[in-house]
């Protein structure tokens, strides 16, 4: 058999526990096969064999999926990492006043005069004049509406509801419905993160959140972080695939939200999206290649409204997507949105805004100046790169206390059996391990403890947070030395970013009146523990403010208010981006922060005190 | 066999001379079968059995296609009426100065600076800034361009040509191409009439006509005039079919023009269309129903630019259609276009603009006022409703002289064998028949002449213009008494319209300094003959001006000039429409004009004199 024929042989790869089969050509890597089958295998180097994270089990052997080629039928077991189930939906009522509502898509009810002989007025002019009379503007109109206009106007005897896209340049009529439909007017707020997507369905007439949901960003099957996704997108067809994956997830979210809230998709008039620059490029099918190449140029930071249907979202043609503008390649619209939501840009006092997602972004400023930087923290605090990490979903361990006998006490989201540890649980665990001397300040395990909770495995030491028979998995929930390394690297990057930003502006912590924390950690982070591990500067706890998912919050505010949406453009234009990757001082600061809480213990006097007491 | 099964029987209808077969259900009318097969059968009542024009031959019997149901396999012969072949294409160079060109779609060549580290400028902003620097405007951009922008910019090292849609409200970038493509920049001017479509391919860089063509409006298979097309459109699916028919014709025209001129379709950036209000509604798939119902309300007179692709025209997504605005339901954009082309709206002196197409429209005015009316003249001067009529194509008889022996002398377009008679030929024939006393002033044949040219047939008397063996058909070319009736009705409607318009404005012919004639008659009308038959008022010949197809001429001017295109909106807004159908005085005037040249011979003193001399 010559090699050509050989290459055309095809084999079946059977993935467990998903129980999904895929047929691939001989020579395909298992990682590629998994991508083809939409099966998630952790990976962050774009399949280059560098990150060592795409471990799978074939014939009881652990191998790397990206380095293993298919040359026979295979049974592949993927070690459990993340729970891919959705967060439960809940119904929340926000305290937003109805009279304050001013969404960019407006509904206007009109009772137009009937045509009369000799008045020589065509239907479209009649409509435009009616709008002008009502609110003084003379809008343009989308073509497909004209096609059906004569019938629409006459259906309810010239009583119609007009949907207006109220952009500054020239308002546009995007829909005309017979009768009065003002009460059916909804928006979706979306936060599209590298790891997960959060969504809320909003009632634009009442100013309420009707439903919310979240899911993994299904693009993670193609790479876990921004860089590996961009690398993945470079091959032919892959950009399209990335776009289709996220659009499919959004379509499912739309189905879920409308089902829960019992509303019609045809009444959704807008989507407001916040996301990092790369996620927005991928959502819109825009080539992200130059984001990654120096001088790190995005195709666009500000994007005009895009018809949802145009990118494959299953909504009516009059539903538009408004993208919250980005600031730079690595400071995205999610940060702009968070700056809006936190009111950072409005206050006299200086504040520090810290967003912990798959990356860490830091903004320092007030109403006079805004400076931002991005630190490659990695997704550890979102549960990524941590063996039993998960994001803040039902069953995630979000609180951990360890007693003098080294036994943990845990709380999970929803109070159900544990499935993994989320950000706040990881911070707690790390802090408790340190305070109980189970690990040292450089993150290494104390090998002399008399407890079954600390044990040695092939990969090194680990601490068992939850035994297999107490959880919902087929293995113990542990925190390994490798996990601790990842968490320390993440917190060091964030702390170094903060230090450098202050240094650049010749400021000290005493100049900062408020530290605003944004992120999806489950419940609030235990700030005492965040101090113990040196994630945040040790300042008085009352100077901290936690706003939850700032990106989603900003998208919600922009859904309700055109003025806020316009404000985001001003914010994005006014933020100065500081590139840390070029800065040697950043690496110095980073190395100093690779210690619990920090090499320079003077920066953490309170934690030093506590550690001494425990000694 | 019960009736249900019977209805589901299917039969083949074989049409001659087209040699086209179509299979239809039992009970279908032959007219419907012809429509299904895209075979043209004359008809003007929408298949209601009223007009009696859809005559066909089955088993040597003449029957009406709309009244004949298919209940067996049929062989149907359609009597020859119109030549459906295209006009030959010719190359013309217009005296338009290059420096005067200012089309609404502009091409702009830019050499942008390269991105530099730290400049923090995204690709889109770089492009917009480049345009702003070049011409001071800050345009918006269409979404699909953004998707590919980063690649496009880098293909020729940040040298690009931008296509800008230069509308007043907000200029829009509709295309970005690598390198300098300014010299490839074309437009199509279209005149879409009820009976025929005329088109020119224009070079927007050089200001030249590169090619021209024309064809029948294929919608005539669904009804010959506006009203029967609207009636046809009311049934489900028919509006779509009407749209598809005209779009298909336009796509063929685009193919022909680009083939002849050897240019790429991708370099066509715009189409400028002039047409009557109903044709525009049908082209765009807009329901025309209320044009026909009192108070005669069109959906819209002014239509914003429409993406050609959106209505099925096979051009790139950046090619837009600009529609010259209509004035009212029965005074369309073809008239607006003609007013522009004739400069009627610019002069101090009063002029009369007469457009003879499938209807006759008359405009009276100057730069201070414009008044218009539409007279239901019918398509006789376009060759419609005349047994051997044709439109001005190769082989059409366009000049006729009849000598004392009643023998005709004829000239055809292109000098080839005759195929039918076009407008100018019909006017000549009618005038010569009258002057030679072959017919009387009321259009009836002199039955006592000694010539084989006048003969009696089943339908009445007729004059043979060309014997079968001298032409390209399988029958003699004749003008029948019924044809003469149709021509007299058409000319009477136009003359009555002129009279009434003058009366309404309390003016006389002496107040009019110019009479501008627009229409496709082949060569120029012989105005002496037009006077003899009483088509136009008898004023000095030097007050007449013939501008050919005014509608197409205006569309061409608007292709080259954004200012002219904008002017058409002002023109359309300033024209007052006078509805003749409600006016009893119109009917009086019409009846008086149903004579050759006119019942009131005092209005035609010159013709009276000539007739006396011949007596």
């Amino acid at each position: 058999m010559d090699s050509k024929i050989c290459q055309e042989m095809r084999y079946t790869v059977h993935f467990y526990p998903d129980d999904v089969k895929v047929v691939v050509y001989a020579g395909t890597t298992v990682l590629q096969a998994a991508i083809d089958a939409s099966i998630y295998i952790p990976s962050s180097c774009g399949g280059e064999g560098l990150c060592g994270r795409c471990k799978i089990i074939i014939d009881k052997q652990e191998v790397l999926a990206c380095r293993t080629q298919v040359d026979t039928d295979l049974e592949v077991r993927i070690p459990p990492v993340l729970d891919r189930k959705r967060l439960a939906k809940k119904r929340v009522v926000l305290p937003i006043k109805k009279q304050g509502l001013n969404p960019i898509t407006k509904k206007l009810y009109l009772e137009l005069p009937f045509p009369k002989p000799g008045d020589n007025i065509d239907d479209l002019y009649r409509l435009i004049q009616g709008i002008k009379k009502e609110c003084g503007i003379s809008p343009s109109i989308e073509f497909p509406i004209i096609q059906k206009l004569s019938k629409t106007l006459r259906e309810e005897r010239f009583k119609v509801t007009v949907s207006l896209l109220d952009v500054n340049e020239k308002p546009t009529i995007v829909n005309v419905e017979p009768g009065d439909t003002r009460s059916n007017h909804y928006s979706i707020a979306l936060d599209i993160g590298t790891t997960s997507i959060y969504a809320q369905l909003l009632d634009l007439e009442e100013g309420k959140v009707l439903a919310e949901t979240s899911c993994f960003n299904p693009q993670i099957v193609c790479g876990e972080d921004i860089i590996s996704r961009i690398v993945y997108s470079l091959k032919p067809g892959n950009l399209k695939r990335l776009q289709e994956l996220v659009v499919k997830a959004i379509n499912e979210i739309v189905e879920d939200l409308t089902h829960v809230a019992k509303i019609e998709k045809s009444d959704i008039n807008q989507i407001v999206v916040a996301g990092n620059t790369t996620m927005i490029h991928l959502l819109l099918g825009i080539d992200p290649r130059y984001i990654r190449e120096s001088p790190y140029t995005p195709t666009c930071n500000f994007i005009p409204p895009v018809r949802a249907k145009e990118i494959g979202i299953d909504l009516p043609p009059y539903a538009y997507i408004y993208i919250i503008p980005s600031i730079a390649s690595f400071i995205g619209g999610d940060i702009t949105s968070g700056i809006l939501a936190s009111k950072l840009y409005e206050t006299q006092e200086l504040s520090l805004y810290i967003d912990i997602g798959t990356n860490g972004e830091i903004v320092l400023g007030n109403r006079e100046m805004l400076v931002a930087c991005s630190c490659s923290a990695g997704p550890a605090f979102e549960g990524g790169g941590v063996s039993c990490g998960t994001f803040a979903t039902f069953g995630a361990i979000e609180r951990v206390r360890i007693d003098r006998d080294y036994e943990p006490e845990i709380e999970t989201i929803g109070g159900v059996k544990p499935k993994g540890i989320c950000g706040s649980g990881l911070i707690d665990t790390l802090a408790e391990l340190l305070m109980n001397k189970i690990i040292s300040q450089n993150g290494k395990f104390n090998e002399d403890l008399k407890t079954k909770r600390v044990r040695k495995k092939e990969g090194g030491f680990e601490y068992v947070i939850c035994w297999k028979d107490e959880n919902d998995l087929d293995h113990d929930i542990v925190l390994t030395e490798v996990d601790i390394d990842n968490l320390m690297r993440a917190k060091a990057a964030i702390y170094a970013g903060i230090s450098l930003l202050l240094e650049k502006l010749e400021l000290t912590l005493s100049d900062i009146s408020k530290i605003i924390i944004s992120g999806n950690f489950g419940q609030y982070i235990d700030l005492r523990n965040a101090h113990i591990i040196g994630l945040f500067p040790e300042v008085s706890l009352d100077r901290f403010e936690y706003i939850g998912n700032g990106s989603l919050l900003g998208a919600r505010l922009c859904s309700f208010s055109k003025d806020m949406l316009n404000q985001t453009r001003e914010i994005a234009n006014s933020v100065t981006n500081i590139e840390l990757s070029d800065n040697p001082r950043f690496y110095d600061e980073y190395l100093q922060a690779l210690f619990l809480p920090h090499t320079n213990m003077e920066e953490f006097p309170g934690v030093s005190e506590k550690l001494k007491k425990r000694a």
Side-chain angles (χ1 to χ4, degrees), chain A residues 333-350:
Chain A
D334 50 346
I335 302 307
T336 312
S337 189
I339 294 172
L340 178 88
S342 66
K343 302 199 179 293
L344 193 64
Y345 70 105
E346 280 186 347
T347 52
Q348 173 76 56
E349 314 85 60
L350 280 172

Side-chain angles (χ1 to χ4, degrees), chain A residues 40 348 544:
Chain A
Y40 171 56
Q348 173 76 56
F544 280 88

Side-chain angles (χ1 to χ4, degrees), chain A residues 79-315:
Chain A
V81 186
L82 295 174
D83 183 328
R84 264 166 280 171
K85 292 234 180 71
R86 298 267 168 79
L87 264 181
K89 294 107 193 173
K90 43 185 168 161
R91 212 182 152 91
V92 192
V93 179
L94 269 192
I96 289 182
K97 294 253 168 60
K98 202 171 159 175
Q99 55 268 41
L101 294 173
N102 177 30
I104 193 158
T105 324
K106 294 191 170 49
K107 279 200 164 186
L108 203 64
Y109 174 65
L110 300 171
E111 298 189 357
L112 299 170
F114 294 111
K116 273 181 221 132
D119 72 2
N120 256 330
I121 297 173
D122 60 82
D123 287 340
L124 177 57
Y125 190 73
R126 186 175 305 278
L127 179 72
I128 303 274
Q129 284 303 98
I131 294 168
K132 203 169 178 181
K133 207 177 147 194
E134 187 75 21
C135 58
I137 57 165
S138 186
S140 60
I141 186 163
E142 294 198 336
F143 173 64
I145 303 168
I146 299 177
Q147 290 182 305
K148 294 173 293 179
L149 186 63
S150 64
K151 191 164 172 291
T152 310
L153 290 182
R154 285 162 182 83
E155 217 159 291
E156 298 268 354
R157 300 181 57 76
F158 287 85
K159 296 189 176 90
V160 287
T161 304
V162 172
S163 294
L164 269 178
L165 198 164
D166 183 19
V167 290
N168 290 338
E169 295 144 2
K170 177 84 177 167
T172 304
I173 302 169
V174 293
N175 195 24
V176 180
E177 296 166 306
D180 185 354
T181 69
R182 281 174 294 179
S183 58
N184 305 325
H185 190 26
Y186 307 104
S187 177
I188 289 175
L190 272 182
D191 163 47
I192 302 181
T194 311
T195 305
S196 40
I197 303 174
Y198 293 85
Q200 291 181 329
L201 177 68
L202 310 171
D203 185 331
L204 294 178
E205 180 69 10
E206 297 291 328
K208 285 180 186 165
V209 180
L210 295 184
E212 60 182 323
T213 188
S214 66
C215 67
F216 265 85
N217 183 334
Q219 291 174 341
I220 47 178
V221 302
C222 311
E224 268 186 3
D225 55 39
I226 284 169
I227 298 303
S228 51
R229 284 215 205 142
I230 296 176
V231 169
Y232 178 84
S233 79
L234 300 179
K235 289 182 193 153
N238 282 2
L239 176 57
K240 189 160 175 282
R241 182 177 154 82
L242 286 164
Q243 190 194 22
E244 284 167 355
L245 282 169
V246 68
V247 165
K248 188 165 166 275
I250 294 171
N251 282 335
E252 286 171 17
I253 283 173
V254 171
E255 286 295 335
D256 283 3
L257 292 175
T258 50
H259 178 76
V260 168
K262 296 194 177 63
I263 67 146
E264 297 297 324
K265 273 200 277 189
S266 58
D267 292 326
I268 297 177
N269 287 55
Q270 59 177 43
I271 300 183
V272 177
V273 178
N276 66 57
T277 313
T278 303
M279 287 313 110
I280 296 301
H281 276 59
L282 297 180
L283 169 69
L284 301 179
I286 301 172
D287 188 356
R289 175 190 301 247
Y290 303 98
I291 288 178
R292 181 175 153 261
E293 293 175 11
S294 174
Y296 315 114
T297 310
T299 296
C300 50
N301 288 323
F302 175 78
I303 295 164
V306 178
R307 201 187 289 271
K309 218 181 173 67
E310 192 158 358
I311 60 163
I313 294 176
D314 186 20
L315 281 179

Side-chain angles (χ1 to χ4, degrees), chain A residues 469-482:
Chain A
D469 53 9
E470 293 167 346
N471 69 32
D472 226 14
L473 307 167
D474 58 359
H475 59 77
D476 303 332
I477 294 174
V478 300
L479 193 75
T480 69
E481 231 164 59
V482 174

Side-chain angles (χ1 to χ4, degrees), chain A residues 538-553:
Chain A
E538 197 189 282
V539 297
S540 159
L541 294 187
D542 56 16
R543 280 160 71 190
F544 280 88
E545 195 174 299
Y546 180 77
I547 61 160
N549 183 338
S551 170
L552 184 66
L553 180 55

